[in-house]
Amino acid sequence: GKGTYPYYMLKEIDEQPSVMRKLVSTYTDQEGKVTVATDIVKAVQAADRIYIIAAGTSLHAGYASKQILEELTNTPVELGLASEWGYGMPLLSEKPLFIFLSQSGETADSRQVLVKVNELGHPSLTVTNVPGSTLSREATYTMLIGAGPEISVASTKAYTGQIATLAFLAKAVGDADQNPKALDFDLVKEISLVAQSIESTLSEKEMISDLVAKLLPEARNAFYIGRKQDYFVSMEASLKLKEISYIQCEGFAAGELKHGTISLIENGTPVIALISNNEEVAAHTRGNVMETVARGASAITIVEEAVAREDDDIVINNVHPYLSAISMVVPTQLIAYYATVQRGLDVDKPRNLAKAVTVE
Ligand code: M6R
């Protein structure tokens, strides 16, 4: 049940630090070394390219995981929108490994791709929250997120759990390959810093709720902007906001705005900028924020401490850049949540949507 929580979504947001810690115990051995099933590690080592297939929030988790997977496993990663790939595969590499990311393990769009992958005889790995789900049974391998049941239609802890699970995979493969980047990366320590960073964001709920009450009460549309990892988080943040609050929202690569979309900015248009710890990127995104403010936008910033300034709105603890999507997304989940509560809408059951999308 949801206990004392008004909605499952808030409970599931709050569970994220413990999901992170549980993943550490699932994917480490008694000596604290990261371990993933040998078969799975070998399957990644044998692949010349990884194709991540998913929909919605799970696809966004795939984007956020691309960098760590590529750098630690030395294997190119391509993302595929499940609903499009069902019509036929693009030109594949010689030794592909398919990773299906799915909270429910039941998404029909992803399954139709898996059926084709199995016909072609390629290996596959399902990363899911539901043991025994269809995508888990039909794929060659499974890794579990172990986030506990996710009831709210808006996915939160599955997103952060998927990124962390793929980080364990990347680290296990990188260690096995003796990749210096992997050997230098203490994932267990970094995940515990992520858990602490999330906890500190969760202690700011009231402030975030007040900020939302100022920024979004009248809004019919809004923008999230960011670059690099923050761009991927912008896409997820915007899906979350529109899915439950019905505010039309776009997640945009900050530098791309000026190529057309900035014409939508008018007086009072809410713009939320995500700025994680990379000085060059931070400076560029801040420049883009100024461009929107100059056209009347009401902008707020969500910034990692190391690059924060006094006038930033939400400041979050630094984490390793490989994992910044996990901690950066949390304030955006809370923004979506409070915007929806403040509109008097049912957070857990947005109109027109089901938890698992089992039709193509
Ligand atoms: O169960 P899956 O992860 O395969 O679901 C994929 C999407 O339908 C899902 O993430 C959807 O986008 C969420 N409702 C977003 O919050």
Side-chain angles (χ1 to χ4, degrees):
K2 51 185 191 253
T4 55
Y5 284 95
Y7 288 105
Y8 279 106
M9 184 184 181
L10 192 61
K11 173 171 181 270
E12 290 160 5
I13 290 172
D14 270 2
E15 284 168 350
Q16 294 176 109
S18 67
V19 171
M20 290 299 124
R21 295 188 176 109
K22 189 172 161 219
L23 278 164
V24 170
S25 66
T26 304
Y27 291 112
T28 53
D29 64 14
Q30 278 158 348
E31 278 88 57
K33 189 181 168 332
V34 170
T35 41
V36 169
T38 317
D39 286 0
I40 298 177
V41 171
K42 285 193 175 143
V44 178
Q45 286 175 315
D48 63 358
R49 188 172 288 247
I50 294 168
Y51 295 88
I52 297 182
I53 308 297
T57 288
S58 294
L59 184 74
H60 298 156
Y63 278 109
S65 306
K66 178 178 163 75
Q67 186 192 5
I68 186 170
L69 275 170
E70 288 191 334
E71 290 193 17
L72 301 194
T73 73
N74 241 324
T75 311
V77 173
E78 189 171 325
L79 276 294
L81 195 51
S83 56
E84 289 291 316
W85 280 47
Y87 297 107
M89 305 279 176
L91 185 61
L92 298 177
S93 69
E94 259 168 53
K95 293 179 187 164
L97 170 69
F98 283 83
I99 299 183
F100 291 85
L101 280 186
S102 177
Q103 189 285 133
S104 64
E106 301 297 342
T107 298
D109 286 327
S110 299
R111 181 169 182 243
Q112 62 172 352
V113 183
L114 177 53
V115 167
K116 294 222 162 75
V117 165
N118 284 338
E119 279 166 13
L120 293 168
H122 296 311
S124 55
L125 162 66
T126 289
V127 175
T128 183
N129 201 28
V130 182
S133 55
T134 305
L135 289 170
S136 166
R137 291 194 316 269
E138 296 182 0
T140 327
Y141 312 104
T142 296
M143 283 180 79
L144 294 175
I145 308 162
E150 193 184 65
I151 310 289
S152 179
V153 165
S155 183
T156 53
K157 62 180 179 174
Y159 172 85
T160 48
Q162 279 165 336
I163 299 170
T165 303
L166 289 177
F168 280 98
L169 175 62
K171 167 72 176 161
V173 174
D175 282 353
D177 290 345
Q178 302 277 310
N179 178 344
K181 278 194 180 167
L183 300 175
D184 283 350
F185 176 58
D186 185 349
L187 176 61
V188 171
K189 185 190 97 192
E190 300 299 344
I191 288 278
S192 81
L193 292 176
V194 166
Q196 287 170 34
S197 172
I198 297 174
E199 273 162 353
S200 113
T201 301
L202 294 176
S203 71
E204 305 277 0
K205 286 191 187 112
E206 221 170 297
M207 180 271 284
I208 293 175
S209 165
D210 290 348
L211 201 59
V212 170
K214 274 187 231 134
L215 186 74
L216 296 174
E218 308 290 327
R220 294 193 55 244
N221 64 349
F223 288 89
Y224 271 100
I225 62 170
R227 288 170 180 253
K228 299 195 67 166
Q229 290 296 91
D230 298 330
Y231 166 45
F232 299 142
V233 179
S234 294
M235 296 196 289
E236 170 54 14
S238 110
L239 173 59
K240 207 87 323 163
L241 183 65
K242 62 189 151 187
E243 179 178 28
I244 58 175
S245 77
Y246 316 144
I247 297 170
Q248 185 167 19
C249 186
E250 287 198 60
F252 235 79
E256 191 65 13
L257 267 187
K258 60 182 172 297
H259 296 288
T261 307
I262 200 166
S263 67
L264 290 174
I265 303 284
E266 33 182 34
N267 250 346
T269 304
V271 172
I272 305 173
L274 300 175
I275 304 176
S276 58
N277 180 13
N278 174 324
E279 283 193 18
E280 189 191 7
V281 175
H284 288 158
T285 302
R286 286 191 189 282
N288 300 129
V289 173
M290 294 315 299
E291 288 159 10
T292 68
V293 170
R295 287 154 182 89
S298 303
I300 69 164
T301 49
I302 301 176
V303 185
E304 273 194 324
E305 216 173 3
V307 286
R309 296 188 320 207
E310 242 174 38
D311 55 348
D312 285 317
D313 297 281
I314 301 176
V315 177
I316 70 171
N317 294 356
N318 305 323
V319 301
H320 193 286
Y322 284 157
L323 304 174
S324 67
I326 305 178
S327 49
M328 289 296 278
V329 83
V330 177
T332 76
Q333 297 169 339
L334 290 168
I335 288 171
Y337 176 80
Y338 287 114
T340 307
V341 169
Q342 288 166 17
R343 280 165 190 244
L345 298 167
D346 185 337
V347 173
D348 288 335
K349 292 198 185 73
R351 67 189 178 207
N352 310 341
L353 284 164
K355 180 62 183 162
V357 184
T358 52
V359 291
E360 283 170 17

